[in-house]
């Protein structure tokens, strides 16, 4: 039986780590066309990493060659069958030993570019009981209407992080900086049975290793933050099937991680948010049923109450799109398009619950 998480609290950490060494790990699977931009952004940091290592995982393209031509180290995974988490575990095992506890490890996706201040702000944020610093991510240009909707979604998520005083509820895989000590303690906690997920740094049992490792860090007693300067630009899905697959993995992984951790002080807020998501699905469903019923009667009644409800909904969409640009706010004001995207998200939520109830296996594959 797993021991109570309260026994897994991390030790007190020192203050500023401004003089710490930073090692950047960039896991990549067939990212030859994108990894150059990611590496260039790392080189352009106002506080650049001392070491950049590309983790080439079962690549069949020129990813490793492009990385070597960019002048960075390349390590290739060996017989890895566990996707990104397995490749990272192999690389961290090889690279962590020479690092002191106060050194930092940046792990970022190969399809992501960091703003120049990212590392400097992440290092400054590593004070007190902060165990890891995550990114605030925005969507790259392109992708048509679907890309625009994702950029709106990411903009709103960034506003939510700011509203929570820049607490990171997910150490997103786009880019996260860990203390070396934190990574060591996560592995030891897994070995000791204090948390699940295998015997290494990243869980091999989770569909969403970034969400799971966030809960691991916080279960150990550390805070996780996303400072306003730690911004990144990342890929958007360009087709509905790709977006569906991505969001199913995110949602199903989040639910399964909560199931595996159970109800604790750390997971309680996450469970509450999933419950609120369920209520929002129910509320929107009832609203649509009522609207269809009213129209089917042939006597639509635009009562002031329902007009006000619709007005508040549109206003909220437009206001929360602020910062994404005027065109995005206009898009947010077209209620039908945003409503369709919300229904898509709700369908992902319901399908994830259904698949979990049926214990249907969800397979992770690169997109």
């Amino acid at each position: 039986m797993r021991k109570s998480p309260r026994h897994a609290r991390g030790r007190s950490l020192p203050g500023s780590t401004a003089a710490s060494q930073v090692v950047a790990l960039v896991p990549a699977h067939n990212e030859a066309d994108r990894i150059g931009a990611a590496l260039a952004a790392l080189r352009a940091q106002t506080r650049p990493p001392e070491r950049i290592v590309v983790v080439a995982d079962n690549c069949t393209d020129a990813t490793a060659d492009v990385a070597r031509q960019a002048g960075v180290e390349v390590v290739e995974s060996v017989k890895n069958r566990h996707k990104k988490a397995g490749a990272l575990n192999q690389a961290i095992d090889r690279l962590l030993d020479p690092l002191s506890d106060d050194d930092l490890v940046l792990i970022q996706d190969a399809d992501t570019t960091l703003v120049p201040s990212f590392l400097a702000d992440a290092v400054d944020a590593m004070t007190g009981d902060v165990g890891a610093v995550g990114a605030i991510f925005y969507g790259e240009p392109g992708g048509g209407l679907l890309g625009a909707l994702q950029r709106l979604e990411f903009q709103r998520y960034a506003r939510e992080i700011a509203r929570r005083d820049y607490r990171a509820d997910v150490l997103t895989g786009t880019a996260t900086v860990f203390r070396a000590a934190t990574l060591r303690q996560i592995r030891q906690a897994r070995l000791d049975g204090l948390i699940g997920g295998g015997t290494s740094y990243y869980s091999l049992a989770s569909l969403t290793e970034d969400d799971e490792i966030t809960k691991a860090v916080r279960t150990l007693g550390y805070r996780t933050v996303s400072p306003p300067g730690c911004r990144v630009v990342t890929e958007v899905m360009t087709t509905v099937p790709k977006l569906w697959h991505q969001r199913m993995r995110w949602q199903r992984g989040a639910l399964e991680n909560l199931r595996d951790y159970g109800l604790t002080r750390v997971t309680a807020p996450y469970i509450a948010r999933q419950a609120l998501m369920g209520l929002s699905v129910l509320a929107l469903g009832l609203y649509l049923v009522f609207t269809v019923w009213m129209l089917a009667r042939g006597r639509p009644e635009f009562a002031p109450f329902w007009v006000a409800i619709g007005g508040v909904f549109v206003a909220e969409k437009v206001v929360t799109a602020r910062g994404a640009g005027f065109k995005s706010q206009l898009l947010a004001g077209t209620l039908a398009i945003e409503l369709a995207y919300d229904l898509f998200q709700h369908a992902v939520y319901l399908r994830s619950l259904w698949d979990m109830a049926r214990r249907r296996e969800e397979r992770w594959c690169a997109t």
Side-chain angles (χ1 to χ4, degrees), residues 17 20-23 102-106 123 126 177-180:
T17 58
S20 298
Q21 176 183 183
V22 179
V23 175
D102 292 334
D103 286 336
L104 304 177
V105 179
L106 163 68
V123 169
M126 281 288 190
V177 178
F178 296 93
R179 291 182 188 267

Side-chain angles (χ1 to χ4, degrees), residues 167-367:
R167 182 184 72 239
D169 284 340
V170 177
L171 295 168
T172 170
T174 56
T176 293
V177 178
F178 296 93
R179 291 182 188 267
T182 305
L183 290 171
R184 290 186 175 113
Q185 290 174 30
I186 289 171
R187 183 173 185 270
Q188 190 59 52
R190 296 197 199 280
L191 289 169
D192 292 342
L194 301 176
I195 55 177
T199 59
S200 195
Y201 310 97
Y202 279 93
S203 170
L204 301 181
S206 176
L207 290 168
T208 49
E209 70 285 333
D210 50 357
D211 176 80
E212 193 280 335
I213 206 169
T214 308
K215 292 175 175 60
V217 171
R218 297 182 71 178
T219 297
L220 290 172
Y222 297 128
R223 288 193 300 124
T224 55
V225 298
S226 291
C230 289
R231 303 186 309 277
V232 304
V233 177
T234 194
E235 181 183 23
V236 296
M237 299 294 103
T238 55
T239 68
V240 172
K242 286 184 177 181
L243 183 63
W244 174 267
H245 176 77
Q246 180 196 63
R247 298 313 169 85
M248 278 293 296
R249 182 169 64 86
W250 289 1
Q251 181 62 50
R252 178 75 179 272
L255 291 171
E256 290 184 352
N257 290 338
L258 290 174
R259 178 199 63 195
D260 293 344
Y261 272 78
L263 178 60
T264 69
R265 177 183 57 82
V266 169
T267 62
Y270 294 91
I271 294 172
R273 277 194 289 276
Q274 291 292 335
L276 288 174
M277 178 66 174
L279 289 176
S280 70
V281 170
L282 178 62
L284 181 57
L286 290 174
Y287 183 80
L288 291 176
V289 167
F290 173 81
T291 302
V292 170
W293 172 77
M294 186 176 64
L295 293 174
R297 292 173 61 203
R299 301 194 305 273
E301 301 172 2
F302 297 102
F305 174 77
W306 293 109
V307 172
I309 290 292
V312 169
F313 186 74
V314 172
E316 186 271 340
K317 291 290 187 181
V318 172
V319 170
T320 55
R322 190 171 53 193
F326 179 67
K327 290 183 179 179
S328 294
Q329 286 187 287
L330 285 178
L331 176 61
T334 59
L335 183 60
I337 296 175
E338 282 265 75
L339 188 60
Y341 193 66
D342 287 343
L343 288 172
F344 174 86
Q345 302 273 44
H346 289 177
V348 169
Y349 177 81
L350 292 173
R351 177 60 184 271
S352 296
L353 288 175
W354 175 250
D355 285 351
M356 277 191 65
R358 296 173 59 205
R359 298 185 179 275
R360 179 176 178 179
E361 182 180 1
E362 177 72 12
R363 295 187 180 275
W364 190 102
C365 64
T367 56

